[in-house]
Amino acid sequence: MTELKQFRCVNCGKPTGALYRTYGPSVLKLNKCAKCKCIVDKYIEYDNVIVMIDAVLISKEAQRHIIYNTEFKSYWKLFIVLMLLETYGVWRNDSLFNIAINSLCGIRTKATVNTTYLYIPVDISMSEWWKHQCSGWVYEERGDDNDLFIWEKDFYIQFLSTFTGIVTFISTVHLIMTMIKPMSVSLNEVSFIRVLKAFSMANVSILFTLPMLVWGNADTSAETRTIHYMLVFAYSFVVFFNAFTVLYESPVIATLVTLLVSNTVKYLMTFHTTPFLRSLVT
Ligand SMILES: [Zn+2]
């Protein structure tokens, strides 16, 4: 009889049939890995809080446990909530992405000038097409209460735009990683659901933008915001790097390049989608 090898050893990633054996109603013994001789998954005996803490500390073991050895049914809820958070930051014109756009496009309005606009000392000359795309990002001044509907509509536009960016990101990662699969350590197929689970798990790192979104105000300087968001981005990048290493088991350089390319494609996509959607509805 062939065993269904759906679980993984959290230490080395080797597929395994079961995590533990039961000897009666209250006795169970954790299995040992055939390859690395360690306990296949120590986390099944741990409290969820410990698993969460280890995941925040970017432990590959905890990531393997979440991606392979738990059901993690609510990944899509997490996916949507985190997408809403990301949209909220961009919609509020308060994220690293907005700072980059405002600074590169030279958007200097009342809403950006002291908080999300950084002066760039070098001269960047852009083509007319890029300038046109930039103009699609100029935020109208928030004023009267009666234009609340416009702001709500803009949230939907940003939501769609962020969604497009995320879909592009996941597709790019999956496409490149599948193409370079022959280079990787293991040739196990990576299912799309698992990619979504890994993405949702790693994307939890954007929760660290919350302190700035909650406590940042008009007096918070653009430099402070930039530093905070850059630290979050760097942390997030490492979390994603580890998650995709666990998932695809590709060489370090390949994973690193894939992540850089996918991030670039994602933000370029979002950058072009928002002006396009805005031009459709106005
Ligand atoms: Zn092992």
Side-chain angles (χ1 to χ4, degrees), residues 114-158:
N114 290 321
T115 55
T116 51
Y117 174 83
L118 281 178
Y119 171 69
I120 300 173
V122 284
D123 181 44
I124 329 154
S125 31
M126 280 186 271
S127 68
E128 284 305 311
W129 159 249
W130 282 90
K131 277 184 191 155
H132 175 71
Q133 295 299 94
C134 277
S135 65
W137 277 91
V138 178
Y139 278 69
E140 295 140 57
E141 303 290 338
R142 279 170 205 214
D144 308 334
D145 296 328
N146 57 4
D147 60 9
L148 204 65
F149 176 69
I150 299 174
W151 287 110
E152 194 189 315
K153 198 170 65 178
D154 204 51
F155 188 85
Y156 300 138
I157 291 175
Q158 288 301 0

Short mmCIF file of all heavy atoms in Angstrom, two decimals, residues 114-158:
data_model
loop_
_atom_site.label_atom_id
_atom_site.label_comp_id
_atom_site.label_asym_id
_atom_site.label_seq_id
_atom_site.Cartn_x
_atom_site.Cartn_y
_atom_site.Cartn_z
N ASN A 114 4.38 67.68 2.91
CA ASN A 114 5.23 67.47 4.09
C ASN A 114 5.24 66.02 4.58
O ASN A 114 6.03 65.66 5.44
CB ASN A 114 4.76 68.35 5.24
CG ASN A 114 5.05 69.80 4.96
OD1 ASN A 114 6.10 70.13 4.40
ND2 ASN A 114 4.12 70.66 5.32
N THR A 115 4.33 65.22 4.05
CA THR A 115 4.19 63.89 4.65
C THR A 115 4.60 62.73 3.75
O THR A 115 5.14 61.75 4.24
CB THR A 115 2.72 63.66 5.08
OG1 THR A 115 1.89 63.89 3.96
CG2 THR A 115 2.33 64.58 6.21
N THR A 116 4.34 62.83 2.46
CA THR A 116 4.70 61.69 1.60
C THR A 116 5.49 62.11 0.36
O THR A 116 5.60 61.37 -0.60
CB THR A 116 3.44 60.92 1.13
OG1 THR A 116 2.51 61.85 0.58
CG2 THR A 116 2.78 60.15 2.25
N TYR A 117 6.04 63.31 0.40
CA TYR A 117 6.86 63.75 -0.73
C TYR A 117 8.30 63.91 -0.28
O TYR A 117 8.59 64.63 0.67
CB TYR A 117 6.34 65.07 -1.31
CG TYR A 117 7.23 65.64 -2.38
CD1 TYR A 117 7.14 65.20 -3.69
CD2 TYR A 117 8.19 66.60 -2.06
CE1 TYR A 117 7.98 65.70 -4.67
CE2 TYR A 117 9.04 67.10 -3.03
CZ TYR A 117 8.94 66.66 -4.33
OH TYR A 117 9.77 67.14 -5.29
N LEU A 118 9.20 63.20 -0.95
CA LEU A 118 10.62 63.33 -0.63
C LEU A 118 11.30 64.03 -1.80
O LEU A 118 11.07 63.68 -2.95
CB LEU A 118 11.26 61.95 -0.45
CG LEU A 118 11.06 61.20 0.86
CD1 LEU A 118 11.74 59.85 0.75
CD2 LEU A 118 11.61 61.98 2.03
N TYR A 119 12.14 65.01 -1.47
CA TYR A 119 12.86 65.70 -2.53
C TYR A 119 13.98 64.80 -3.06
O TYR A 119 14.79 64.27 -2.30
CB TYR A 119 13.44 67.02 -2.00
CG TYR A 119 14.36 67.70 -2.97
CD1 TYR A 119 13.86 68.25 -4.15
CD2 TYR A 119 15.73 67.77 -2.72
CE1 TYR A 119 14.70 68.85 -5.06
CE2 TYR A 119 16.58 68.37 -3.62
CZ TYR A 119 16.07 68.91 -4.79
OH TYR A 119 16.91 69.49 -5.70
N ILE A 120 14.00 64.61 -4.38
CA ILE A 120 15.06 63.80 -4.98
C ILE A 120 16.06 64.74 -5.66
O ILE A 120 15.70 65.49 -6.56
CB ILE A 120 14.48 62.81 -6.02
CG1 ILE A 120 13.48 61.88 -5.33
CG2 ILE A 120 15.57 61.99 -6.68
CD1 ILE A 120 12.72 60.99 -6.25
N PRO A 121 17.32 64.73 -5.19
CA PRO A 121 18.29 65.72 -5.68
C PRO A 121 18.72 65.50 -7.14
O PRO A 121 19.28 66.40 -7.74
CB PRO A 121 19.48 65.56 -4.73
CG PRO A 121 19.29 64.23 -4.09
CD PRO A 121 17.85 63.89 -4.14
N VAL A 122 18.49 64.30 -7.69
CA VAL A 122 18.90 64.11 -9.09
C VAL A 122 17.72 64.38 -10.02
O VAL A 122 16.57 64.20 -9.66
CB VAL A 122 19.43 62.67 -9.36
CG1 VAL A 122 20.82 62.52 -8.81
CG2 VAL A 122 18.50 61.63 -8.79
N ASP A 123 18.06 64.80 -11.22
CA ASP A 123 17.01 65.14 -12.18
C ASP A 123 16.54 63.88 -12.92
O ASP A 123 17.34 63.19 -13.55
CB ASP A 123 17.57 66.17 -13.17
CG ASP A 123 16.50 66.58 -14.17
OD1 ASP A 123 15.36 66.83 -13.72
OD2 ASP A 123 16.80 66.64 -15.37
N ILE A 124 15.24 63.60 -12.77
CA ILE A 124 14.71 62.44 -13.50
C ILE A 124 13.81 62.98 -14.61
O ILE A 124 12.77 63.56 -14.32
CB ILE A 124 13.85 61.53 -12.60
CG1 ILE A 124 14.34 61.55 -11.16
CG2 ILE A 124 13.79 60.11 -13.12
CD1 ILE A 124 13.24 61.23 -10.18
N SER A 125 14.24 62.79 -15.83
CA SER A 125 13.35 63.24 -16.91
C SER A 125 12.54 62.05 -17.39
O SER A 125 13.06 60.96 -17.64
CB SER A 125 14.17 63.86 -18.04
OG SER A 125 15.42 63.25 -18.13
N MET A 126 11.24 62.27 -17.47
CA MET A 126 10.34 61.18 -17.85
C MET A 126 9.71 61.46 -19.21
O MET A 126 9.55 62.62 -19.58
CB MET A 126 9.25 61.03 -16.81
CG MET A 126 9.71 60.28 -15.58
SD MET A 126 8.33 60.00 -14.50
CE MET A 126 8.39 61.45 -13.51
N SER A 127 9.34 60.39 -19.88
CA SER A 127 8.66 60.56 -21.17
C SER A 127 7.23 61.05 -20.93
O SER A 127 6.73 60.99 -19.81
CB SER A 127 8.63 59.23 -21.92
OG SER A 127 7.78 58.34 -21.23
N GLU A 128 6.58 61.52 -21.97
CA GLU A 128 5.23 62.06 -21.85
C GLU A 128 4.26 61.02 -21.31
O GLU A 128 3.38 61.30 -20.53
CB GLU A 128 4.74 62.57 -23.23
CG GLU A 128 5.34 63.89 -23.64
CD GLU A 128 5.13 64.99 -22.60
OE1 GLU A 128 3.99 65.15 -22.15
OE2 GLU A 128 6.12 65.66 -22.23
N TRP A 129 4.44 59.78 -21.75
CA TRP A 129 3.58 58.67 -21.32
C TRP A 129 3.63 58.49 -19.81
O TRP A 129 2.61 58.38 -19.14
CB TRP A 129 3.99 57.40 -22.08
CG TRP A 129 3.57 56.11 -21.43
CD1 TRP A 129 4.36 55.19 -20.84
CD2 TRP A 129 2.23 55.60 -21.33
NE1 TRP A 129 3.62 54.14 -20.37
CE2 TRP A 129 2.30 54.37 -20.66
CE3 TRP A 129 0.97 56.08 -21.72
CZ2 TRP A 129 1.19 53.59 -20.37
CZ3 TRP A 129 -0.15 55.30 -21.44
CH2 TRP A 129 -0.04 54.07 -20.78
N TRP A 130 4.86 58.53 -19.27
CA TRP A 130 5.00 58.37 -17.82
C TRP A 130 4.41 59.55 -17.07
O TRP A 130 3.80 59.41 -16.04
CB TRP A 130 6.47 58.17 -17.45
CG TRP A 130 6.90 56.77 -17.74
CD1 TRP A 130 7.43 56.32 -18.90
CD2 TRP A 130 6.79 55.64 -16.88
NE1 TRP A 130 7.67 54.98 -18.82
CE2 TRP A 130 7.29 54.52 -17.59
CE3 TRP A 130 6.33 55.46 -15.57
CZ2 TRP A 130 7.32 53.25 -17.04
CZ3 TRP A 130 6.37 54.19 -15.03
CH2 TRP A 130 6.86 53.10 -15.76
N LYS A 131 4.62 60.73 -17.65
CA LYS A 131 4.07 61.94 -17.00
C LYS A 131 2.56 61.85 -16.97
O LYS A 131 1.92 62.24 -15.99
CB LYS A 131 4.51 63.19 -17.77
CG LYS A 131 5.88 63.66 -17.37
CD LYS A 131 6.23 64.96 -18.08
CE LYS A 131 7.70 65.30 -17.90
NZ LYS A 131 8.20 66.15 -18.98
N HIS A 132 2.00 61.33 -18.05
CA HIS A 132 0.55 61.18 -18.13
C HIS A 132 0.06 60.20 -17.06
O HIS A 132 -0.92 60.45 -16.36
CB HIS A 132 0.15 60.70 -19.52
CG HIS A 132 -1.32 60.43 -19.64
ND1 HIS A 132 -2.26 61.44 -19.65
CD2 HIS A 132 -2.03 59.26 -19.71
CE1 HIS A 132 -3.46 60.91 -19.73
NE2 HIS A 132 -3.36 59.59 -19.76
N GLN A 133 0.80 59.08 -16.93
CA GLN A 133 0.42 58.09 -15.90
C GLN A 133 0.52 58.70 -14.50
O GLN A 133 -0.30 58.45 -13.65
CB GLN A 133 1.33 56.85 -16.00
CG GLN A 133 1.17 56.06 -17.27
CD GLN A 133 -0.24 55.53 -17.45
OE1 GLN A 133 -1.08 56.13 -18.10
NE2 GLN A 133 -0.54 54.38 -16.85
N CYS A 134 1.56 59.50 -14.31
CA CYS A 134 1.77 60.18 -13.02
C CYS A 134 0.57 61.05 -12.69
O CYS A 134 0.11 61.08 -11.54
CB CYS A 134 3.01 61.07 -13.07
SG CYS A 134 4.54 60.19 -12.77
N SER A 135 0.07 61.76 -13.69
CA SER A 135 -1.04 62.69 -13.41
C SER A 135 -2.27 61.95 -12.92
O SER A 135 -3.10 62.51 -12.22
CB SER A 135 -1.37 63.52 -14.65
OG SER A 135 -1.85 62.67 -15.67
N GLY A 136 -2.37 60.66 -13.28
CA GLY A 136 -3.49 59.84 -12.79
C GLY A 136 -3.41 59.55 -11.30
O GLY A 136 -4.35 59.05 -10.70
N TRP A 137 -2.25 59.86 -10.71
CA TRP A 137 -2.07 59.60 -9.27
C TRP A 137 -2.23 60.83 -8.41
O TRP A 137 -2.11 60.76 -7.19
CB TRP A 137 -0.69 58.97 -9.03
CG TRP A 137 -0.70 57.51 -9.28
CD1 TRP A 137 -0.42 56.89 -10.46
CD2 TRP A 137 -1.05 56.48 -8.36
NE1 TRP A 137 -0.57 55.55 -10.33
CE2 TRP A 137 -0.96 55.25 -9.05
CE3 TRP A 137 -1.44 56.46 -7.02
CZ2 TRP A 137 -1.24 54.03 -8.44
CZ3 TRP A 137 -1.72 55.24 -6.41
CH2 TRP A 137 -1.61 54.05 -7.12
N VAL A 138 -2.44 61.97 -9.03
CA VAL A 138 -2.58 63.20 -8.24
C VAL A 138 -3.88 63.14 -7.45
O VAL A 138 -4.95 62.95 -8.01
CB VAL A 138 -2.57 64.45 -9.16
CG1 VAL A 138 -2.76 65.71 -8.32
CG2 VAL A 138 -1.27 64.52 -9.94
N TYR A 139 -3.73 63.25 -6.14
CA TYR A 139 -4.91 63.17 -5.27
C TYR A 139 -5.59 64.52 -5.21
O TYR A 139 -4.94 65.53 -5.02
CB TYR A 139 -4.50 62.74 -3.86
CG TYR A 139 -4.33 61.27 -3.73
CD1 TYR A 139 -3.29 60.63 -4.35
CD2 TYR A 139 -5.24 60.51 -3.00
CE1 TYR A 139 -3.13 59.26 -4.26
CE2 TYR A 139 -5.09 59.15 -2.89
CZ TYR A 139 -4.04 58.53 -3.51
OH TYR A 139 -3.89 57.18 -3.41
N GLU A 140 -6.90 64.48 -5.37
CA GLU A 140 -7.63 65.73 -5.20
C GLU A 140 -7.62 66.06 -3.70
O GLU A 140 -7.56 65.17 -2.87
CB GLU A 140 -9.08 65.56 -5.67
CG GLU A 140 -9.18 65.30 -7.16
CD GLU A 140 -10.24 64.26 -7.48
OE1 GLU A 140 -11.40 64.48 -7.10
OE2 GLU A 140 -9.90 63.24 -8.08
N GLU A 141 -7.71 67.31 -3.41
CA GLU A 141 -7.71 67.72 -2.00
C GLU A 141 -8.97 67.21 -1.32
O GLU A 141 -10.06 67.31 -1.88
CB GLU A 141 -7.65 69.25 -1.90
CG GLU A 141 -6.45 69.87 -2.60
CD GLU A 141 -5.13 69.58 -1.91
OE1 GLU A 141 -5.14 69.26 -0.71
OE2 GLU A 141 -4.09 69.65 -2.59
N ARG A 142 -8.79 66.68 -0.11
CA ARG A 142 -9.97 66.24 0.63
C ARG A 142 -10.64 67.43 1.29
O ARG A 142 -10.02 68.12 2.07
CB ARG A 142 -9.58 65.22 1.69
CG ARG A 142 -9.40 63.86 1.07
CD ARG A 142 -8.78 62.89 2.01
NE ARG A 142 -8.13 61.87 1.22
CZ ARG A 142 -8.05 60.61 1.58
NH1 ARG A 142 -8.54 60.22 2.72
NH2 ARG A 142 -7.46 59.74 0.79
N GLY A 143 -11.85 67.65 0.96
CA GLY A 143 -12.50 68.83 1.53
C GLY A 143 -13.90 68.55 2.01
O GLY A 143 -14.09 67.95 3.08
N ASP A 144 -14.87 68.95 1.21
CA ASP A 144 -16.27 68.90 1.63
C ASP A 144 -16.74 67.49 1.95
O ASP A 144 -16.25 66.52 1.44
CB ASP A 144 -17.17 69.47 0.52
CG ASP A 144 -16.66 70.83 0.08
OD1 ASP A 144 -16.01 71.49 0.90
OD2 ASP A 144 -16.90 71.21 -1.09
N ASP A 145 -17.76 67.46 2.82
CA ASP A 145 -18.34 66.16 3.18
C ASP A 145 -19.12 65.55 2.03
O ASP A 145 -19.27 64.35 1.95
CB ASP A 145 -19.29 66.33 4.38
CG ASP A 145 -18.54 66.81 5.60
OD1 ASP A 145 -17.36 66.42 5.72
OD2 ASP A 145 -19.12 67.55 6.41
N ASN A 146 -19.60 66.41 1.14
CA ASN A 146 -20.46 65.86 0.08
C ASN A 146 -19.71 65.05 -0.96
O ASN A 146 -20.32 64.38 -1.77
CB ASN A 146 -21.30 66.97 -0.58
CG ASN A 146 -20.39 68.06 -1.14
OD1 ASN A 146 -19.17 67.94 -1.09
ND2 ASN A 146 -21.00 69.11 -1.67
N ASP A 147 -18.38 65.11 -0.95
CA ASP A 147 -17.69 64.26 -1.93
C ASP A 147 -17.22 62.93 -1.31
O ASP A 147 -16.33 62.28 -1.81
CB ASP A 147 -16.53 65.01 -2.61
CG ASP A 147 -15.48 65.46 -1.61
OD1 ASP A 147 -15.58 65.05 -0.44
OD2 ASP A 147 -14.58 66.21 -2.01
N LEU A 148 -17.89 62.57 -0.25
CA LEU A 148 -17.56 61.30 0.41
C LEU A 148 -17.71 60.12 -0.56
O LEU A 148 -16.93 59.18 -0.54
CB LEU A 148 -18.50 61.09 1.61
CG LEU A 148 -17.96 60.18 2.71
CD1 LEU A 148 -16.73 60.81 3.35
CD2 LEU A 148 -19.02 59.92 3.76
N PHE A 149 -18.72 60.23 -1.41
CA PHE A 149 -18.96 59.15 -2.37
C PHE A 149 -17.77 58.97 -3.30
O PHE A 149 -17.39 57.85 -3.63
CB PHE A 149 -20.23 59.44 -3.17
CG PHE A 149 -20.47 58.43 -4.24
CD1 PHE A 149 -20.84 57.12 -3.91
CD2 PHE A 149 -20.32 58.75 -5.58
CE1 PHE A 149 -21.04 56.17 -4.89
CE2 PHE A 149 -20.52 57.79 -6.56
CZ PHE A 149 -20.89 56.51 -6.22
N ILE A 150 -17.14 60.09 -3.68
CA ILE A 150 -15.99 60.02 -4.58
C ILE A 150 -14.86 59.25 -3.89
O ILE A 150 -14.19 58.43 -4.49
CB ILE A 150 -15.51 61.43 -4.98
CG1 ILE A 150 -16.65 62.13 -5.73
CG2 ILE A 150 -14.26 61.37 -5.84
CD1 ILE A 150 -16.38 63.58 -6.07
N TRP A 151 -14.70 59.52 -2.59
CA TRP A 151 -13.63 58.84 -1.86
C TRP A 151 -13.91 57.35 -1.71
O TRP A 151 -13.01 56.54 -1.75
CB TRP A 151 -13.43 59.49 -0.49
CG TRP A 151 -12.77 60.79 -0.67
CD1 TRP A 151 -13.31 62.02 -0.49
CD2 TRP A 151 -11.46 60.99 -1.19
NE1 TRP A 151 -12.41 62.98 -0.85
CE2 TRP A 151 -11.26 62.39 -1.27
CE3 TRP A 151 -10.43 60.13 -1.58
CZ2 TRP A 151 -10.09 62.94 -1.74
CZ3 TRP A 151 -9.26 60.68 -2.03
CH2 TRP A 151 -9.09 62.07 -2.11
N GLU A 152 -15.20 57.04 -1.55
CA GLU A 152 -15.57 55.64 -1.45
C GLU A 152 -15.32 54.94 -2.77
O GLU A 152 -14.73 53.86 -2.82
CB GLU A 152 -17.04 55.53 -1.06
CG GLU A 152 -17.42 54.14 -0.61
CD GLU A 152 -18.92 54.01 -0.44
OE1 GLU A 152 -19.52 54.91 0.14
OE2 GLU A 152 -19.45 53.00 -0.92
N LYS A 153 -15.70 55.61 -3.84
CA LYS A 153 -15.49 55.06 -5.18
C LYS A 153 -13.99 54.85 -5.42
O LYS A 153 -13.57 53.84 -5.98
CB LYS A 153 -16.06 56.03 -6.22
CG LYS A 153 -16.29 55.39 -7.57
CD LYS A 153 -17.08 56.32 -8.47
CE LYS A 153 -16.29 57.57 -8.80
NZ LYS A 153 -16.99 58.49 -9.71
N ASP A 154 -13.21 55.81 -4.95
CA ASP A 154 -11.77 55.70 -5.13
C ASP A 154 -11.19 54.50 -4.38
O ASP A 154 -10.23 53.89 -4.81
CB ASP A 154 -11.09 56.99 -4.68
CG ASP A 154 -9.75 57.16 -5.37
OD1 ASP A 154 -9.74 57.06 -6.61
OD2 ASP A 154 -8.74 57.34 -4.68
N PHE A 155 -11.83 54.17 -3.25
CA PHE A 155 -11.36 53.00 -2.49
C PHE A 155 -11.55 51.73 -3.31
O PHE A 155 -10.68 50.87 -3.35
CB PHE A 155 -12.11 52.88 -1.15
CG PHE A 155 -11.55 51.81 -0.26
CD1 PHE A 155 -10.48 52.08 0.57
CD2 PHE A 155 -12.06 50.52 -0.28
CE1 PHE A 155 -9.94 51.09 1.38
CE2 PHE A 155 -11.53 49.53 0.52
CZ PHE A 155 -10.47 49.82 1.36
N TYR A 156 -12.69 51.63 -3.99
CA TYR A 156 -12.95 50.45 -4.83
C TYR A 156 -11.94 50.37 -5.97
O TYR A 156 -11.47 49.30 -6.33
CB TYR A 156 -14.37 50.48 -5.39
CG TYR A 156 -15.44 50.48 -4.32
CD1 TYR A 156 -16.56 51.28 -4.43
CD2 TYR A 156 -15.31 49.67 -3.19
CE1 TYR A 156 -17.53 51.30 -3.43
CE2 TYR A 156 -16.27 49.68 -2.20
CZ TYR A 156 -17.38 50.49 -2.32
OH TYR A 156 -18.31 50.51 -1.34
N ILE A 157 -11.63 51.55 -6.53
CA ILE A 157 -10.64 51.58 -7.62
C ILE A 157 -9.29 51.08 -7.11
O ILE A 157 -8.67 50.21 -7.71
CB ILE A 157 -10.51 53.02 -8.18
CG1 ILE A 157 -11.80 53.40 -8.92
CG2 ILE A 157 -9.30 53.13 -9.11
CD1 ILE A 157 -11.83 54.82 -9.42
N GLN A 158 -8.88 51.61 -5.95
CA GLN A 158 -7.60 51.18 -5.39
C GLN A 158 -7.63 49.70 -5.03
O GLN A 158 -6.62 49.01 -5.15
CB GLN A 158 -7.24 51.98 -4.13
CG GLN A 158 -6.84 53.40 -4.37
CD GLN A 158 -5.64 53.58 -5.28
OE1 GLN A 158 -5.05 52.63 -5.78
NE2 GLN A 158 -5.30 54.81 -5.51
#
